[in-house]
Amino acid sequence: MILVVGAGIAGLSTAHALLARGAQVTVVEAGKIACGASGVATSYLEPRLGTTPMRKVEWEALRRWPEFVAALEQDSGISVQFRTEGQIRVAISDNLARFEKDQTTRCNDGWRVEPLKQDDLNRLEPALSKEIAAGCFLPDIRWVNGQKVCEALARIIVQADGEIIQETALSEIGQDGKNCRATLSDGRAIDCDAILLCTGTGSHPINGLPADIGPCRAVRGVNLNLDMTALQKPLRHMIKHHRGNLCPRGDRHLIVGTTYEPGETSLDPSSDVIERLLANAEPILPTVRQLPLLGVTAGLRAKIGDGNLRLGRSSENPQIYYSLSHAGAGYLRAPVVAEEMARFMVDGNFGALMGLAVK
């Protein structure tokens, strides 16, 4: 039996992949399903720039997302609001040089990039500012409702005879003969063959954690949820600008974000943070302050060391595995990382592409 610690996108997607490989799985979560960063993320699926092995993993994951979504929705009966309209990147005059450099890099890396004139922007998204200096369309970018993805995965896990224990933390890792013994915060002890850590920065302290699994640090992200029904034409594309993004969810909800605040751990953002998000969005969407504020969400991205993904097993205790430091890319990489982590735990090896990326 494998104990998965953490019911965010990393833990749930890997638990799902482990069950598909025939493993017996229990997921334990200190809060509720997707209660951390996974539940408040914008959840857009955009590979980062570059041609490293990890960038190749991200492009392969993006390619797999339609099939991943189709299986999730069919097996769970939950729509995860997978959006395929693509991304419009825009720049105001003060950021034109940076925008042009970014566009050139994408073209050189093989991205599909379609330049947009002002008339194109007006036609595609009439609510955007007429003062935007430049724009381009990235047809390959997707986004999804992360909360719904986690709900769908959780439902499938339970349907497949997996167990999810919520509002109960892992308190201690010990040994009982050849098995790991996991002691939970309610006093229960679970004997298992292996433990997979998929925890974030807000994790309950775990006694007995191997020293070679580094501590996570927090990078806060804050989003605003606005009601955009007052717009003559609600936004249909994801809009990316140099200080954030505008992400539509259906015809009503507009996510305005996202901050990047290293070391900030408060989940109750100040009015100054809300004002900064509105001020950043206003040159792109001039009516943003007129849209009703439905809510403010904050989450803590988890990073270790240099911030790169950490997949593997402890050298001190080989029964302890980890899938950590997903930062802002957990949703994008999930179709590949979950499958490869499950392969590693069951068969003992990563696939060729993931093996290169995690070295």
Side-chain angles (χ1 to χ4, degrees):
M1 194 274 281
I2 296 173
L3 183 71
V4 177
V5 185
I9 182 59
L12 292 172
S13 60
T14 309
H16 174 253
L18 284 164
L19 283 163
R21 286 182 171 268
Q24 181 185 354
V25 177
T26 293
V27 180
V28 62
E29 165 59 51
K32 291 185 177 294
I33 291 166
C35 65
S38 293
V40 300
T42 308
S43 313
Y44 61 91
L45 313 174
E46 178 184 339
R48 285 174 254 194
L49 294 178
T51 56
T52 65
M54 184 52 73
R55 300 297 86 80
K56 295 177 182 178
V57 167
E58 291 173 353
W59 278 105
E60 173 60 21
L62 183 61
R63 186 190 68 79
R64 294 188 195 181
W65 256 96
E67 182 179 355
F68 185 62
V69 164
L72 280 183
E73 294 186 335
Q74 178 177 329
D75 294 345
S76 70
I78 296 174
S79 170
V80 300
Q81 301 173 14
F82 183 57
R83 300 287 296 267
T84 62
E85 290 92 333
Q87 181 189 101
I88 294 176
R89 299 183 75 87
V90 296
I92 58 177
S93 56
D94 290 347
N95 191 52
L96 191 55
R98 179 178 171 181
F99 172 87
E100 291 174 344
K101 181 179 179 181
D102 177 272
Q103 188 171 345
T104 298
T105 300
R106 292 178 192 277
C107 290
N108 291 340
D109 286 351
W111 287 61
R112 291 199 294 164
V113 179
E114 302 173 14
L116 297 175
K117 297 180 180 179
Q118 186 64 60
D119 288 346
D120 300 319
L121 289 170
N122 293 342
R123 172 177 53 82
L124 292 170
E125 295 291 2
L128 297 183
S129 172
K130 304 303 184 288
E131 303 302 317
I132 290 174
C136 67
F137 178 54
L138 306 182
D140 296 319
I141 304 307
R142 308 286 185 255
W143 66 101
V144 72
N145 185 325
Q147 184 77 45
K148 294 294 184 182
V149 170
C150 289
E151 289 176 12
L153 285 165
R155 180 175 293 182
I156 295 168
I157 288 167
V158 173
Q159 289 172 348
D161 294 327
E163 183 181 11
I164 299 178
I165 303 172
Q166 300 183 64
E167 298 186 308
T168 308
L170 172 63
S171 294
E172 185 171 0
I173 297 173
Q175 205 75 22
D176 180 28
K178 294 182 178 180
N179 293 331
C180 285
R181 169 156 289 184
T183 302
L184 307 186
S185 57
D186 62 3
R188 273 183 288 178
I190 298 177
D191 291 336
C192 50
D193 300 300
I195 294 175
L196 171 62
L197 300 173
C198 300
T199 52
T201 58
S203 303
H204 187 91
I206 302 172
N207 294 321
L209 195 67
D212 60 350
I213 298 176
C216 289
R217 67 181 189 279
V219 179
R220 187 175 72 173
V222 179
N223 287 327
L224 309 181
N225 182 9
L226 305 183
D227 184 341
M228 65 172 174
T229 53
L231 296 178
Q232 187 173 2
K233 181 181 178 182
L235 296 184
R236 300 298 299 167
H237 302 83
M238 167 168 278
I239 311 299
K240 192 79 174 283
H241 56 95
H242 75 294
R243 289 182 176 171
N245 54 71
L246 307 170
C247 181
R249 291 256 172 91
D251 291 330
R252 183 188 182 196
H253 296 272
L254 180 65
I255 309 301
V256 176
T258 302
T259 65
Y260 187 89
E261 302 171 89
E264 180 58 70
T265 59
S266 171
L267 297 180
D268 184 20
S270 68
S271 58
D272 290 343
V273 175
I274 297 171
E275 167 58 29
R276 185 164 74 248
L277 284 166
L278 292 172
N280 289 343
E282 193 169 22
I284 309 302
L285 183 64
T287 58
V288 67
R289 294 182 184 275
Q290 300 170 28
L291 304 181
L293 178 63
L294 301 175
V296 182
T297 58
L300 304 179
R301 307 174 186 94
K303 292 192 173 189
I304 294 175
D306 60 6
N308 288 324
L309 178 66
R310 295 290 195 275
L311 296 183
R313 67 195 301 181
S314 168
S315 59
E316 294 184 16
N317 185 345
Q319 291 176 295
I320 309 299
Y321 295 77
Y322 51 86
S323 178
L324 301 169
S325 198
H326 292 267
Y331 280 100
L332 168 61
R333 299 171 184 166
V336 171
V337 170
E339 177 61 30
E340 290 297 322
M341 195 68 218
R343 181 208 298 262
F344 180 56
M345 295 189 72
V346 174
D347 300 335
N349 64 285
F350 289 116
L353 183 56
M354 182 58 74
L356 288 172
V358 298
K359 283 184 177 178

